[in-house]
Amino acid sequence: MSSTIVSLPDQTTATLPKHTYLNNEYGLKSWLLTRDHKRIGILYLITITFFFFIGGAMAGLVRLELLTPQTDLLAADTYNKVFTMHGIIMIFLFLVPSVPGTLGNFLVPIMVGAKDLAFPKINLLSWYLNTIGGIMVLAALISGGVDTGWTFTTPLSTHYVNTHVITAGLAIFVTGFSSIFTGINIIVTVHRMRAPGMTWFRLPLFIWSNYAASILMVLGTPVLAIALVLVVLERTIGIGVFDPTKGGDPLLFQHLFWFYSHPAVYIMILPGMGVISEVISTFSRKRVFGYTAVAFSSVAIAVFGFLVWEHHMFIMGVSSYSALIFSLLTMLVAVPSAIKIFNWAATLYKGSITFETPMLYAFGFMGLFTIGGLTGVFLGSLGMDVHLTETYFIVAHFHFVMVGGMLMAFLAGIHFWWPKITGRMYPENLSKLAALVTFIGFILTFFPQFILGYLGMPRRYAAYPPEFQVLNVLSTAGATVLGVGYLLPMLYLTWSLKYGKIAGPNPWQATGLEWQIQSPPVVENFLETPVVDYEAYDYEWLANKTRNEVHTVG
Ligand code: HEM
Ligand SMILES: [Cu+2]
């Protein structure tokens, strides 16, 4: 595998820049009170990594329990708590803030040519809210956990369980505000803070997709927040909105929950799709094929995403006519995602492709997300869904999109922008190995779950009939490999902070504004306001620029 476009400065003479956002102030206080979007991005990186490993430990327990058909490692109710906490932590404390909180924070202002996000203090507040919500989730976990599933299904959550639903519900309420504020910040920044010449259609696709995700965050999250507050009120003072004996309706909770949580799956995937567009373009040296279609497909996803929530409720006694309509609308929402996949494939076509680590993860994303998305279409068809719903097929479906898709995209992005964030390169061979291990571990973990689900193994039980054991053992073995795949980057990225090669401003020869400034950037990002006179992904412009620079220096 060749890595031809890495252009690093001469390592014998190269040094990190003198003034950067990292060394402009020192000490814990300078971090905890910072308003620099780049430092806040790093704060997010630390918290989401922390929660990822706690959520990962829970996943490990689930997979160990499922190694054998009997309930032996965990009691059944402990098992319920473990998978619930796994879901809550991974979704609300890892996936939702992952790309917007870390890479979005770091990159959105730089990519549009601004000094910071529109509201730096609110940005810091977002991180604090996210962290406080996280601490509340940990408090719920330590004081005995929650066992309703991440879906907080009523009347289980309101009447029948004895666990810490209130703490967890309020925790998600708090993190919800964090995501609403991040969304507002990104939307206002993209509208108001673009540099001269940075028109909407010169914006990198990473911006378009984070912008679309932000719209979903701002419009969807309040509905979830209200639904959870209603659950809390129902538990505490019995207001009865979800209680049929008081004239309420448990299905109302499902509508409210999924009205947020379907769009939320796009909150989780859209920013990742933005990463993939940047990576694929850079490592095929081509403008993203059908830029406008890809940009608008993000917006289309944001719109259609709000029209399909009932596909989570087909077997819950909704009217067959509405189920039919929602089934049709679900087919529609697959179209804009498919547009992206086709356009990335067309970008690769006749490109000068190189196989750097971010590109390996991007290929992983394209394959796994396609399988995840297509199985979503199966689930959206009424007849299939009746057979497959609440089985392991669902678990496989959403892990293909969330882990095979979003987590791969996050890792692609972290590797791609690591040189920009830290000024140093990660070790190339080890990172390629990690990408490969992650891919193999992923397939081994989750592919058997499609078969298990199709054969009828229900989700969310600690025990299962013995005939399912072989596939479960495969899945647990895969999870072990996957665990190694995730630990490796933790280790070598930390190592690279001190020992990595000096990256220089533009190791990948990429075109975005972020690559035209020093790595790591100065506090204000740009020494003077950039004036943008080229289209996104214009590699010829870059080649001319480089030629001229060599000329001036020479
Ligand atoms: C884009 C990324 C996607 C993510 C992150 C995602 C995530 C999820 C999650 C988390 C669930 C399970 C919820 C639960 O009960 O715990 C789910 C179920 C479902 N997904 Fe997806 N999904 C994605 C794409 C799609 C697509 C493209 C479609 C169809 C076009 C789709 C259709 C469905 C359906 C119909 C269900 C409900 C199945 C059932 O409960 O019976 N999904 N998805
Ligand atoms: Cu959905």
Side-chain angles (χ1 to χ4, degrees), residues 37 103 106-114 194-195 198 202-207 210 274 278 416-417 512-515 525-526 532 537:
H37 63 103
L103 298 172
F106 197 96
L107 294 163
V108 167
I110 308 183
M111 281 183 169
V112 304
R194 283 173 286 124
M198 182 55 93
R202 282 180 177 166
L203 287 171
L205 290 164
F206 180 80
I207 297 289
N210 275 277
E278 301 302 315
F416 186 58
W417 283 292
L513 277 182
E514 79 274 26
W515 298 109
N525 302 336
F526 302 95
V532 182
Y537 316 112

PDB file of all heavy atoms in Angstrom, residues 37 103 106-114 194-195 198 202-207 210 274 278 416-417 512-515 525-526 532 537:
ATOM      1  N   HIS A  37     -12.405  27.578  20.719  1.00  0.00           N
ATOM      2  CA  HIS A  37     -13.126  26.405  20.199  1.00  0.00           C
ATOM      3  C   HIS A  37     -12.225  25.188  20.053  1.00  0.00           C
ATOM      4  O   HIS A  37     -12.671  24.055  20.174  1.00  0.00           O
ATOM      5  CB  HIS A  37     -13.761  26.748  18.848  1.00  0.00           C
ATOM      6  CG  HIS A  37     -12.765  27.077  17.786  1.00  0.00           C
ATOM      7  ND1 HIS A  37     -12.427  26.192  16.813  1.00  0.00           N
ATOM      8  CD2 HIS A  37     -11.996  28.174  17.563  1.00  0.00           C
ATOM      9  CE1 HIS A  37     -11.511  26.743  16.011  1.00  0.00           C
ATOM     10  NE2 HIS A  37     -11.232  27.948  16.458  1.00  0.00           N
ATOM     11  N   LEU A 103     -14.388  17.255  16.484  1.00  0.00           N
ATOM     12  CA  LEU A 103     -13.910  17.753  15.193  1.00  0.00           C
ATOM     13  C   LEU A 103     -14.718  18.974  14.755  1.00  0.00           C
ATOM     14  O   LEU A 103     -14.182  19.927  14.194  1.00  0.00           O
ATOM     15  CB  LEU A 103     -13.999  16.645  14.145  1.00  0.00           C
ATOM     16  CG  LEU A 103     -13.143  15.413  14.446  1.00  0.00           C
ATOM     17  CD1 LEU A 103     -13.446  14.294  13.466  1.00  0.00           C
ATOM     18  CD2 LEU A 103     -11.663  15.776  14.385  1.00  0.00           C
ATOM     19  N   PHE A 106     -13.484  21.935  16.644  1.00  0.00           N
ATOM     20  CA  PHE A 106     -12.142  22.321  16.216  1.00  0.00           C
ATOM     21  C   PHE A 106     -12.167  22.942  14.817  1.00  0.00           C
ATOM     22  O   PHE A 106     -11.501  23.930  14.548  1.00  0.00           O
ATOM     23  CB  PHE A 106     -11.233  21.088  16.213  1.00  0.00           C
ATOM     24  CG  PHE A 106      -9.775  21.431  16.181  1.00  0.00           C
ATOM     25  CD1 PHE A 106      -9.054  21.490  17.362  1.00  0.00           C
ATOM     26  CD2 PHE A 106      -9.125  21.718  14.986  1.00  0.00           C
ATOM     27  CE1 PHE A 106      -7.698  21.826  17.345  1.00  0.00           C
ATOM     28  CE2 PHE A 106      -7.784  22.062  14.961  1.00  0.00           C
ATOM     29  CZ  PHE A 106      -7.063  22.114  16.141  1.00  0.00           C
ATOM     30  N   LEU A 107     -12.981  22.326  13.925  1.00  0.00           N
ATOM     31  CA  LEU A 107     -12.813  22.647  12.505  1.00  0.00           C
ATOM     32  C   LEU A 107     -13.808  23.638  11.924  1.00  0.00           C
ATOM     33  O   LEU A 107     -13.477  24.354  10.978  1.00  0.00           O
ATOM     34  CB  LEU A 107     -12.892  21.351  11.689  1.00  0.00           C
ATOM     35  CG  LEU A 107     -11.747  20.385  11.964  1.00  0.00           C
ATOM     36  CD1 LEU A 107     -12.097  19.004  11.456  1.00  0.00           C
ATOM     37  CD2 LEU A 107     -10.471  20.907  11.298  1.00  0.00           C
ATOM     38  N   VAL A 108     -15.036  23.664  12.454  1.00  0.00           N
ATOM     39  CA  VAL A 108     -16.039  24.497  11.765  1.00  0.00           C
ATOM     40  C   VAL A 108     -15.569  25.944  11.617  1.00  0.00           C
ATOM     41  O   VAL A 108     -15.565  26.492  10.508  1.00  0.00           O
ATOM     42  CB  VAL A 108     -17.430  24.385  12.438  1.00  0.00           C
ATOM     43  CG1 VAL A 108     -18.369  25.469  11.936  1.00  0.00           C
ATOM     44  CG2 VAL A 108     -18.030  23.005  12.177  1.00  0.00           C
ATOM     45  N   PRO A 109     -15.114  26.603  12.717  1.00  0.00           N
ATOM     46  CA  PRO A 109     -14.681  27.991  12.525  1.00  0.00           C
ATOM     47  C   PRO A 109     -13.526  28.097  11.527  1.00  0.00           C
ATOM     48  O   PRO A 109     -13.537  28.986  10.668  1.00  0.00           O
ATOM     49  CB  PRO A 109     -14.218  28.418  13.921  1.00  0.00           C
ATOM     50  CG  PRO A 109     -14.883  27.487  14.854  1.00  0.00           C
ATOM     51  CD  PRO A 109     -15.032  26.195  14.126  1.00  0.00           C
ATOM     52  N   ILE A 110     -12.558  27.189  11.622  1.00  0.00           N
ATOM     53  CA  ILE A 110     -11.397  27.306  10.730  1.00  0.00           C
ATOM     54  C   ILE A 110     -11.809  27.090   9.280  1.00  0.00           C
ATOM     55  O   ILE A 110     -11.402  27.810   8.380  1.00  0.00           O
ATOM     56  CB  ILE A 110     -10.289  26.305  11.116  1.00  0.00           C
ATOM     57  CG1 ILE A 110      -9.953  26.435  12.613  1.00  0.00           C
ATOM     58  CG2 ILE A 110      -9.053  26.520  10.278  1.00  0.00           C
ATOM     59  CD1 ILE A 110      -8.823  25.537  13.081  1.00  0.00           C
ATOM     60  N   MET A 111     -12.671  26.101   9.058  1.00  0.00           N
ATOM     61  CA  MET A 111     -13.063  25.801   7.676  1.00  0.00           C
ATOM     62  C   MET A 111     -13.855  26.929   7.034  1.00  0.00           C
ATOM     63  O   MET A 111     -13.855  27.065   5.813  1.00  0.00           O
ATOM     64  CB  MET A 111     -13.909  24.528   7.647  1.00  0.00           C
ATOM     65  CG  MET A 111     -13.099  23.265   7.748  1.00  0.00           C
ATOM     66  SD  MET A 111     -14.241  21.874   7.603  1.00  0.00           S
ATOM     67  CE  MET A 111     -13.112  20.531   7.406  1.00  0.00           C
ATOM     68  N   VAL A 112     -14.592  27.709   7.827  1.00  0.00           N
ATOM     69  CA  VAL A 112     -15.323  28.822   7.216  1.00  0.00           C
ATOM     70  C   VAL A 112     -14.484  30.100   7.232  1.00  0.00           C
ATOM     71  O   VAL A 112     -14.903  31.130   6.729  1.00  0.00           O
ATOM     72  CB  VAL A 112     -16.704  29.085   7.882  1.00  0.00           C
ATOM     73  CG1 VAL A 112     -17.558  27.841   7.866  1.00  0.00           C
ATOM     74  CG2 VAL A 112     -16.549  29.610   9.307  1.00  0.00           C
ATOM     75  N   GLY A 113     -13.311  30.029   7.842  1.00  0.00           N
ATOM     76  CA  GLY A 113     -12.413  31.191   7.856  1.00  0.00           C
ATOM     77  C   GLY A 113     -12.696  32.156   8.987  1.00  0.00           C
ATOM     78  O   GLY A 113     -12.514  33.362   8.835  1.00  0.00           O
ATOM     79  N   ALA A 114     -13.151  31.643  10.146  1.00  0.00           N
ATOM     80  CA  ALA A 114     -13.471  32.525  11.275  1.00  0.00           C
ATOM     81  C   ALA A 114     -12.491  32.296  12.430  1.00  0.00           C
ATOM     82  O   ALA A 114     -11.748  31.317  12.444  1.00  0.00           O
ATOM     83  CB  ALA A 114     -14.897  32.259  11.742  1.00  0.00           C
ATOM     84  N   ARG A 194     -18.734  33.408   7.864  1.00  0.00           N
ATOM     85  CA  ARG A 194     -17.906  32.943   6.749  1.00  0.00           C
ATOM     86  C   ARG A 194     -16.982  34.068   6.266  1.00  0.00           C
ATOM     87  O   ARG A 194     -17.378  35.231   6.223  1.00  0.00           O
ATOM     88  CB  ARG A 194     -18.798  32.462   5.615  1.00  0.00           C
ATOM     89  CG  ARG A 194     -19.394  31.074   5.874  1.00  0.00           C
ATOM     90  CD  ARG A 194     -20.412  30.671   4.837  1.00  0.00           C
ATOM     91  NE  ARG A 194     -21.662  31.391   5.022  1.00  0.00           N
ATOM     92  CZ  ARG A 194     -22.247  32.121   4.091  1.00  0.00           C
ATOM     93  NH1 ARG A 194     -21.704  32.246   2.898  1.00  0.00           N
ATOM     94  NH2 ARG A 194     -23.369  32.753   4.354  1.00  0.00           N
ATOM     95  N   ALA A 195     -15.752  33.692   5.909  1.00  0.00           N
ATOM     96  CA  ALA A 195     -14.773  34.681   5.440  1.00  0.00           C
ATOM     97  C   ALA A 195     -15.205  35.225   4.085  1.00  0.00           C
ATOM     98  O   ALA A 195     -16.003  34.597   3.385  1.00  0.00           O
ATOM     99  CB  ALA A 195     -13.413  34.007   5.325  1.00  0.00           C
ATOM    100  N   MET A 198     -16.080  33.058   0.898  1.00  0.00           N
ATOM    101  CA  MET A 198     -16.517  31.705   1.251  1.00  0.00           C
ATOM    102  C   MET A 198     -18.038  31.620   1.073  1.00  0.00           C
ATOM    103  O   MET A 198     -18.802  31.780   2.013  1.00  0.00           O
ATOM    104  CB  MET A 198     -16.102  31.376   2.693  1.00  0.00           C
ATOM    105  CG  MET A 198     -16.475  29.973   3.156  1.00  0.00           C
ATOM    106  SD  MET A 198     -15.854  28.691   2.094  1.00  0.00           S
ATOM    107  CE  MET A 198     -14.309  28.273   2.874  1.00  0.00           C
ATOM    108  N   ARG A 202     -18.963  27.059  -1.724  1.00  0.00           N
ATOM    109  CA  ARG A 202     -17.532  26.779  -1.584  1.00  0.00           C
ATOM    110  C   ARG A 202     -17.247  26.117  -0.249  1.00  0.00           C
ATOM    111  O   ARG A 202     -16.097  25.803   0.060  1.00  0.00           O
ATOM    112  CB  ARG A 202     -16.739  28.084  -1.683  1.00  0.00           C
ATOM    113  CG  ARG A 202     -16.589  28.558  -3.102  1.00  0.00           C
ATOM    114  CD  ARG A 202     -15.801  29.839  -3.140  1.00  0.00           C
ATOM    115  NE  ARG A 202     -15.606  30.263  -4.504  1.00  0.00           N
ATOM    116  CZ  ARG A 202     -15.187  31.467  -4.851  1.00  0.00           C
ATOM    117  NH1 ARG A 202     -14.906  32.366  -3.910  1.00  0.00           N
ATOM    118  NH2 ARG A 202     -15.030  31.780  -6.121  1.00  0.00           N
ATOM    119  N   LEU A 203     -18.277  25.929   0.551  1.00  0.00           N
ATOM    120  CA  LEU A 203     -18.065  25.330   1.873  1.00  0.00           C
ATOM    121  C   LEU A 203     -17.657  23.867   1.721  1.00  0.00           C
ATOM    122  O   LEU A 203     -18.210  23.155   0.883  1.00  0.00           O
ATOM    123  CB  LEU A 203     -19.355  25.383   2.691  1.00  0.00           C
ATOM    124  CG  LEU A 203     -19.772  26.749   3.216  1.00  0.00           C
ATOM    125  CD1 LEU A 203     -21.181  26.674   3.811  1.00  0.00           C
ATOM    126  CD2 LEU A 203     -18.793  27.247   4.267  1.00  0.00           C
ATOM    127  N   PRO A 204     -16.715  23.421   2.532  1.00  0.00           N
ATOM    128  CA  PRO A 204     -16.408  21.982   2.524  1.00  0.00           C
ATOM    129  C   PRO A 204     -17.667  21.191   2.898  1.00  0.00           C
ATOM    130  O   PRO A 204     -18.504  21.689   3.651  1.00  0.00           O
ATOM    131  CB  PRO A 204     -15.348  21.832   3.613  1.00  0.00           C
ATOM    132  CG  PRO A 204     -14.823  23.200   3.860  1.00  0.00           C
ATOM    133  CD  PRO A 204     -15.899  24.158   3.487  1.00  0.00           C
ATOM    134  N   LEU A 205     -17.772  19.970   2.407  1.00  0.00           N
ATOM    135  CA  LEU A 205     -18.988  19.179   2.687  1.00  0.00           C
ATOM    136  C   LEU A 205     -19.089  18.814   4.164  1.00  0.00           C
ATOM    137  O   LEU A 205     -20.174  18.547   4.670  1.00  0.00           O
ATOM    138  CB  LEU A 205     -19.002  17.939   1.803  1.00  0.00           C
ATOM    139  CG  LEU A 205     -19.245  18.305   0.330  1.00  0.00           C
ATOM    140  CD1 LEU A 205     -18.880  17.148  -0.582  1.00  0.00           C
ATOM    141  CD2 LEU A 205     -20.690  18.731   0.103  1.00  0.00           C
ATOM    142  N   PHE A 206     -17.961  18.832   4.868  1.00  0.00           N
ATOM    143  CA  PHE A 206     -17.991  18.617   6.313  1.00  0.00           C
ATOM    144  C   PHE A 206     -18.880  19.675   6.982  1.00  0.00           C
ATOM    145  O   PHE A 206     -19.622  19.388   7.920  1.00  0.00           O
ATOM    146  CB  PHE A 206     -16.557  18.701   6.870  1.00  0.00           C
ATOM    147  CG  PHE A 206     -16.470  18.497   8.369  1.00  0.00           C
ATOM    148  CD1 PHE A 206     -16.493  17.219   8.903  1.00  0.00           C
ATOM    149  CD2 PHE A 206     -16.356  19.579   9.231  1.00  0.00           C
ATOM    150  CE1 PHE A 206     -16.407  17.026  10.281  1.00  0.00           C
ATOM    151  CE2 PHE A 206     -16.271  19.387  10.609  1.00  0.00           C
ATOM    152  CZ  PHE A 206     -16.304  18.108  11.135  1.00  0.00           C
ATOM    153  N   ILE A 207     -18.805  20.894   6.459  1.00  0.00           N
ATOM    154  CA  ILE A 207     -19.628  21.975   7.026  1.00  0.00           C
ATOM    155  C   ILE A 207     -21.105  21.719   6.724  1.00  0.00           C
ATOM    156  O   ILE A 207     -21.962  21.822   7.594  1.00  0.00           O
ATOM    157  CB  ILE A 207     -19.198  23.341   6.440  1.00  0.00           C
ATOM    158  CG1 ILE A 207     -17.762  23.649   6.835  1.00  0.00           C
ATOM    159  CG2 ILE A 207     -20.148  24.442   6.883  1.00  0.00           C
ATOM    160  CD1 ILE A 207     -17.562  23.988   8.279  1.00  0.00           C
ATOM    161  N   ASN A 210     -22.432  18.967   9.025  1.00  0.00           N
ATOM    162  CA  ASN A 210     -22.578  19.372  10.424  1.00  0.00           C
ATOM    163  C   ASN A 210     -23.696  20.394  10.572  1.00  0.00           C
ATOM    164  O   ASN A 210     -24.382  20.437  11.603  1.00  0.00           O
ATOM    165  CB  ASN A 210     -21.270  19.957  10.973  1.00  0.00           C
ATOM    166  CG  ASN A 210     -20.370  18.854  11.475  1.00  0.00           C
ATOM    167  OD1 ASN A 210     -20.500  18.384  12.594  1.00  0.00           O
ATOM    168  ND2 ASN A 210     -19.467  18.404  10.622  1.00  0.00           N
ATOM    169  N   GLY A 274     -19.766  13.800   6.710  1.00  0.00           N
ATOM    170  CA  GLY A 274     -18.948  14.963   6.359  1.00  0.00           C
ATOM    171  C   GLY A 274     -17.465  14.612   6.386  1.00  0.00           C
ATOM    172  O   GLY A 274     -16.707  14.972   5.480  1.00  0.00           O
ATOM    173  N   GLU A 278     -14.516  14.607   3.100  1.00  0.00           N
ATOM    174  CA  GLU A 278     -13.192  15.258   3.113  1.00  0.00           C
ATOM    175  C   GLU A 278     -12.088  14.238   2.824  1.00  0.00           C
ATOM    176  O   GLU A 278     -11.186  14.486   2.043  1.00  0.00           O
ATOM    177  CB  GLU A 278     -12.906  15.893   4.485  1.00  0.00           C
ATOM    178  CG  GLU A 278     -13.906  16.941   4.939  1.00  0.00           C
ATOM    179  CD  GLU A 278     -14.049  18.101   3.985  1.00  0.00           C
ATOM    180  OE1 GLU A 278     -13.016  18.601   3.514  1.00  0.00           O
ATOM    181  OE2 GLU A 278     -15.191  18.489   3.690  1.00  0.00           O
ATOM    182  N   PHE A 416      -7.182  11.787  10.391  1.00  0.00           N
ATOM    183  CA  PHE A 416      -6.981  12.769   9.319  1.00  0.00           C
ATOM    184  C   PHE A 416      -6.536  14.119   9.888  1.00  0.00           C
ATOM    185  O   PHE A 416      -5.608  14.743   9.382  1.00  0.00           O
ATOM    186  CB  PHE A 416      -8.303  12.924   8.547  1.00  0.00           C
ATOM    187  CG  PHE A 416      -8.205  13.790   7.325  1.00  0.00           C
ATOM    188  CD1 PHE A 416      -7.313  13.487   6.305  1.00  0.00           C
ATOM    189  CD2 PHE A 416      -9.035  14.900   7.177  1.00  0.00           C
ATOM    190  CE1 PHE A 416      -7.244  14.277   5.157  1.00  0.00           C
ATOM    191  CE2 PHE A 416      -8.970  15.692   6.035  1.00  0.00           C
ATOM    192  CZ  PHE A 416      -8.070  15.384   5.027  1.00  0.00           C
ATOM    193  N   TRP A 417      -7.201  14.572  10.963  1.00  0.00           N
ATOM    194  CA  TRP A 417      -6.904  15.914  11.481  1.00  0.00           C
ATOM    195  C   TRP A 417      -5.937  15.897  12.667  1.00  0.00           C
ATOM    196  O   TRP A 417      -5.623  16.949  13.197  1.00  0.00           O
ATOM    197  CB  TRP A 417      -8.205  16.650  11.829  1.00  0.00           C
ATOM    198  CG  TRP A 417      -8.896  17.178  10.604  1.00  0.00           C
ATOM    199  CD1 TRP A 417      -8.458  18.182   9.782  1.00  0.00           C
ATOM    200  CD2 TRP A 417     -10.128  16.724  10.032  1.00  0.00           C
ATOM    201  NE1 TRP A 417      -9.338  18.385   8.742  1.00  0.00           N
ATOM    202  CE2 TRP A 417     -10.372  17.492   8.872  1.00  0.00           C
ATOM    203  CE3 TRP A 417     -11.052  15.738  10.386  1.00  0.00           C
ATOM    204  CZ2 TRP A 417     -11.502  17.323   8.078  1.00  0.00           C
ATOM    205  CZ3 TRP A 417     -12.172  15.562   9.590  1.00  0.00           C
ATOM    206  CH2 TRP A 417     -12.389  16.347   8.449  1.00  0.00           C
ATOM    207  N   GLY A 512      -8.578  22.287   2.134  1.00  0.00           N
ATOM    208  CA  GLY A 512      -9.378  23.073   3.073  1.00  0.00           C
ATOM    209  C   GLY A 512      -8.586  24.202   3.711  1.00  0.00           C
ATOM    210  O   GLY A 512      -7.353  24.139   3.797  1.00  0.00           O
ATOM    211  N   LEU A 513      -9.285  25.263   4.158  1.00  0.00           N
ATOM    212  CA  LEU A 513      -8.605  26.392   4.791  1.00  0.00           C
ATOM    213  C   LEU A 513      -7.761  25.942   5.973  1.00  0.00           C
ATOM    214  O   LEU A 513      -6.727  26.514   6.266  1.00  0.00           O
ATOM    215  CB  LEU A 513      -9.638  27.410   5.291  1.00  0.00           C
ATOM    216  CG  LEU A 513     -10.186  28.414   4.288  1.00  0.00           C
ATOM    217  CD1 LEU A 513     -11.148  29.356   4.986  1.00  0.00           C
ATOM    218  CD2 LEU A 513      -9.044  29.181   3.650  1.00  0.00           C
ATOM    219  N   GLU A 514      -8.236  24.892   6.683  1.00  0.00           N
ATOM    220  CA  GLU A 514      -7.495  24.469   7.878  1.00  0.00           C
ATOM    221  C   GLU A 514      -6.089  24.000   7.530  1.00  0.00           C
ATOM    222  O   GLU A 514      -5.194  24.035   8.371  1.00  0.00           O
ATOM    223  CB  GLU A 514      -8.289  23.403   8.657  1.00  0.00           C
ATOM    224  CG  GLU A 514      -8.244  21.969   8.126  1.00  0.00           C
ATOM    225  CD  GLU A 514      -9.299  21.698   7.052  1.00  0.00           C
ATOM    226  OE1 GLU A 514      -9.727  22.647   6.364  1.00  0.00           O
ATOM    227  OE2 GLU A 514      -9.690  20.520   6.877  1.00  0.00           O
ATOM    228  N   TRP A 515      -5.906  23.529   6.295  1.00  0.00           N
ATOM    229  CA  TRP A 515      -4.588  23.020   5.911  1.00  0.00           C
ATOM    230  C   TRP A 515      -3.671  24.125   5.399  1.00  0.00           C
ATOM    231  O   TRP A 515      -2.509  23.880   5.100  1.00  0.00           O
ATOM    232  CB  TRP A 515      -4.730  21.922   4.856  1.00  0.00           C
ATOM    233  CG  TRP A 515      -5.489  20.753   5.392  1.00  0.00           C
ATOM    234  CD1 TRP A 515      -6.759  20.381   5.046  1.00  0.00           C
ATOM    235  CD2 TRP A 515      -5.068  19.819   6.399  1.00  0.00           C
ATOM    236  NE1 TRP A 515      -7.151  19.279   5.771  1.00  0.00           N
ATOM    237  CE2 TRP A 515      -6.127  18.916   6.609  1.00  0.00           C
ATOM    238  CE3 TRP A 515      -3.895  19.667   7.149  1.00  0.00           C
ATOM    239  CZ2 TRP A 515      -6.059  17.872   7.537  1.00  0.00           C
ATOM    240  CZ3 TRP A 515      -3.825  18.629   8.064  1.00  0.00           C
ATOM    241  CH2 TRP A 515      -4.901  17.746   8.249  1.00  0.00           C
ATOM    242  N   ASN A 525      -6.503  31.388  14.910  1.00  0.00           N
ATOM    243  CA  ASN A 525      -6.567  30.566  13.698  1.00  0.00           C
ATOM    244  C   ASN A 525      -5.808  31.171  12.516  1.00  0.00           C
ATOM    245  O   ASN A 525      -4.959  30.532  11.935  1.00  0.00           O
ATOM    246  CB  ASN A 525      -8.007  30.275  13.254  1.00  0.00           C
ATOM    247  CG  ASN A 525      -8.794  29.570  14.333  1.00  0.00           C
ATOM    248  OD1 ASN A 525      -8.218  28.915  15.193  1.00  0.00           O
ATOM    249  ND2 ASN A 525     -10.108  29.699  14.281  1.00  0.00           N
ATOM    250  N   PHE A 526      -6.192  32.426  12.153  1.00  0.00           N
ATOM    251  CA  PHE A 526      -5.582  33.042  10.978  1.00  0.00           C
ATOM    252  C   PHE A 526      -4.861  34.320  11.409  1.00  0.00           C
ATOM    253  O   PHE A 526      -5.382  35.073  12.235  1.00  0.00           O
ATOM    254  CB  PHE A 526      -6.651  33.408   9.945  1.00  0.00           C
ATOM    255  CG  PHE A 526      -7.451  32.230   9.499  1.00  0.00           C
ATOM    256  CD1 PHE A 526      -8.671  31.941  10.098  1.00  0.00           C
ATOM    257  CD2 PHE A 526      -6.988  31.403   8.484  1.00  0.00           C
ATOM    258  CE1 PHE A 526      -9.420  30.838   9.694  1.00  0.00           C
ATOM    259  CE2 PHE A 526      -7.729  30.299   8.077  1.00  0.00           C
ATOM    260  CZ  PHE A 526      -8.950  30.013   8.684  1.00  0.00           C
ATOM    261  N   VAL A 532     -11.263  33.955   0.260  1.00  0.00           N
ATOM    262  CA  VAL A 532     -11.339  32.681  -0.458  1.00  0.00           C
ATOM    263  C   VAL A 532     -11.652  32.937  -1.929  1.00  0.00           C
ATOM    264  O   VAL A 532     -12.668  33.538  -2.252  1.00  0.00           O
ATOM    265  CB  VAL A 532     -12.427  31.790   0.170  1.00  0.00           C
ATOM    266  CG1 VAL A 532     -12.495  30.457  -0.525  1.00  0.00           C
ATOM    267  CG2 VAL A 532     -12.155  31.618   1.653  1.00  0.00           C
ATOM    268  N   TYR A 537     -12.131  21.738  -2.721  1.00  0.00           N
ATOM    269  CA  TYR A 537     -11.454  20.586  -3.335  1.00  0.00           C
ATOM    270  C   TYR A 537     -10.832  20.917  -4.691  1.00  0.00           C
ATOM    271  O   TYR A 537     -10.885  20.125  -5.610  1.00  0.00           O
ATOM    272  CB  TYR A 537     -12.424  19.395  -3.494  1.00  0.00           C
ATOM    273  CG  TYR A 537     -13.277  19.159  -2.275  1.00  0.00           C
ATOM    274  CD1 TYR A 537     -14.651  19.376  -2.310  1.00  0.00           C
ATOM    275  CD2 TYR A 537     -12.707  18.752  -1.083  1.00  0.00           C
ATOM    276  CE1 TYR A 537     -15.437  19.181  -1.182  1.00  0.00           C
ATOM    277  CE2 TYR A 537     -13.477  18.560   0.043  1.00  0.00           C
ATOM    278  CZ  TYR A 537     -14.837  18.778  -0.011  1.00  0.00           C
ATOM    279  OH  TYR A 537     -15.599  18.595   1.097  1.00  0.00           O
TER     280      TYR A 537
END
